[in-house]
Amino acid sequence: MSERAAPFHCPYCGDEDLRPGEQGHGAWECAACSRAFQLKFLGLLAPGTSGNTPGGKKI
């Protein structure tokens, strides 16, 4: 199993001073703006569902 993925910056202020949160898996705390947030991996998209696939029909 691989290590958990870490965010590169805070989604609110953009600062990079992030620390794992105490609320559980996927929780992060930003020291710059004092906000806490949680990341969750939802899964992989099925091929052809994003609309950015090459060779798709243009409307």
Side-chain angles (χ1 to χ4, degrees):
M1 194 89 196
S2 63
E3 295 181 31
R4 65 178 166 173
F8 294 112
H9 56 82
C10 174
Y12 299 101
C13 72
D15 199 86
E16 297 178 355
D17 191 6
L18 301 177
R19 299 180 180 128
E22 298 177 2
Q23 294 81 12
H25 182 72
W28 292 89
E29 298 173 355
C30 177
C33 68
S34 299
R35 288 187 169 116
F37 58 95
Q38 188 169 15
L39 301 177
K40 182 177 179 181
F41 178 71
L42 298 177
L44 298 173
L45 297 176
T49 59
S50 69
N52 294 330
T53 56
K57 278 188 173 179
K58 292 184 180 181
I59 299 176

